[in-house]
Amino acid sequence: MIMVIALALAGAVQGGVSTARAEENRTSTGRQLLFFNHAYGVLDRATADAIERSSYLRDFADFQVRTTTGSGGQTWTGRYLMGRETYFELFGVGDVPGKDGTLGSTGLGVSTEHAGDLPTVIERLRKAGISDPVEFRQTRDFGDGVPVPWFDAVFTTDRYDLFGAWGMEYRPEYFADPRGNTEPASHPGDVGRERYLPDAYRDHLMRDVTDIRLAVTARDLANTVPLLKAGGFAVRSLPGGGAVAKGGGTMIRFDSVPLDQVGLRQIEMSLNHPVSYRHVERIGHSALVVGPGSRAVWTFEEQDRPAAG
């Protein structure tokens, strides 16, 4: 889903909260409307290739490598670790065109659980001073050349450095297409993450993303905070810059850094069951630590890159 940004500009169980409990999440703005859906990061080529070849990851998670065709025929190839309600995408430098394929580029999608909640988010953005939010509809081509409506999205701005965040709501046409391999609705208006993702996570250790840490520029962070607040996340500023957003069982930490230091830093995941051991898996310039207990932490090393400007 990385290409939604480029295209828009061009034209609980263990550590989580289940879809059934989404209605219970309330903040100062009322019922929470947006929940962590997925994040992505662009890594150095050696690390991306090591992830793609890793046999350990195929046991640890519902792991996929696939190429997706979105709106306008744009394609991207990612490495996906899929959980019950959440997932993340990992790319190598150049896996997507333009600056979105630059080392350190990251993105964040936050989605609704109930049909019709995205317009409420957009209205909240306008009331918060985002007078002209960027709205966009993403499609998906399953290989027959016929685009299927996938999800509607909103961005607070069309200007960003190397991080972008968007609110999204899955389309009923996508759920109706059997090629999406989605689940039946559990209640009227169900457009939730658990319905969208397959249940293959049950056969692996990884359950869901519970914490994620991203290093972004001050401008990209400032553009993101209004969206998270409009979606019902509780956002707290950190001394010296940065912020922490909490809601729906997920914590998102943003470190405010210069442009030449941005990137994906860490992902923490809940497990389907506790393990008694501690396993460290080195994968390129990263380390995945699993256990002991019911969590895993994947840390990514900062890579050298040209200085900004």
Side-chain angles (χ1 to χ4, degrees), residues 44-282:
D44 63 277
R45 175 52 55 186
T47 301
D49 289 347
I51 290 170
E52 187 165 337
R53 294 191 302 264
S54 173
S55 59
Y56 181 81
L57 289 178
R58 285 166 170 79
D59 289 333
F60 172 73
D62 176 15
F63 179 82
Q64 305 173 15
V65 180
R66 70 169 186 264
T67 298
T68 303
T69 301
S71 299
Q74 296 279 359
T75 63
W76 59 95
T77 300
R79 301 139 194 87
Y80 297 78
L81 279 79
M82 318 287 279
R84 181 176 184 270
E85 294 184 315
T86 61
Y87 68 99
F88 54 97
E89 303 172 280
L90 301 173
F91 299 91
V93 173
D95 279 345
V96 291
K99 71 177 183 180
D100 288 333
T102 302
L103 179 64
S105 177
T106 54
L108 172 71
V110 285
S111 66
T112 66
E113 297 281 296
H114 303 278
D117 278 353
L118 191 62
T120 303
V121 172
I122 294 171
E123 181 60 27
R124 288 182 181 179
L125 285 174
R126 291 195 172 100
K127 289 181 179 179
I130 308 299
S131 59
D132 193 22
V134 180
E135 298 181 53
F136 177 71
R137 177 166 294 174
Q138 176 65 295
T139 64
R140 182 171 180 180
D141 185 342
F142 285 100
D144 57 5
V146 180
V148 177
W150 191 357
F151 58 85
D152 293 328
V154 63
F155 313 91
T156 62
T157 180
D158 61 359
R159 298 178 177 87
Y160 66 102
D161 294 321
L162 286 177
F163 170 79
W166 61 95
M168 54 187 286
E169 183 168 299
Y170 292 117
R171 296 288 307 173
E173 297 94 330
Y174 189 86
F175 285 116
D177 194 308
R179 294 171 298 178
N181 294 317
T182 57
E183 301 173 9
S186 62
H187 55 79
D190 180 8
V191 292
R193 301 161 296 165
E194 198 276 334
R195 183 184 179 193
Y196 173 77
L197 290 175
D199 286 336
Y201 76 94
R202 295 173 175 172
D203 302 322
H204 304 272
L205 266 180
M206 176 187 159
R207 185 177 183 88
D208 265 319
V209 176
T210 57
D211 300 80
I212 190 161
R213 186 169 186 172
L214 304 162
V216 304
T217 65
R219 178 172 80 154
D220 286 346
L221 177 57
N223 291 337
T224 301
V225 168
L227 175 65
L228 295 177
K229 288 185 175 180
F233 281 86
V235 183
R236 174 174 57 89
S237 297
L238 298 174
V244 171
K246 294 183 179 180
T250 308
M251 182 172 73
I252 309 164
R253 172 166 177 153
F254 300 96
D255 297 330
S256 181
V257 300
L259 183 60
D260 60 345
Q261 296 177 23
V262 300
L264 174 63
R265 291 290 177 265
Q266 193 171 81
I267 302 170
E268 184 170 327
M269 295 149 278
S270 61
L271 305 180
N272 279 312
H273 58 80
V275 296
S276 59
Y277 55 82
R278 180 179 187 269
H279 174 81
V280 180
E281 186 75 12
R282 293 289 311 181

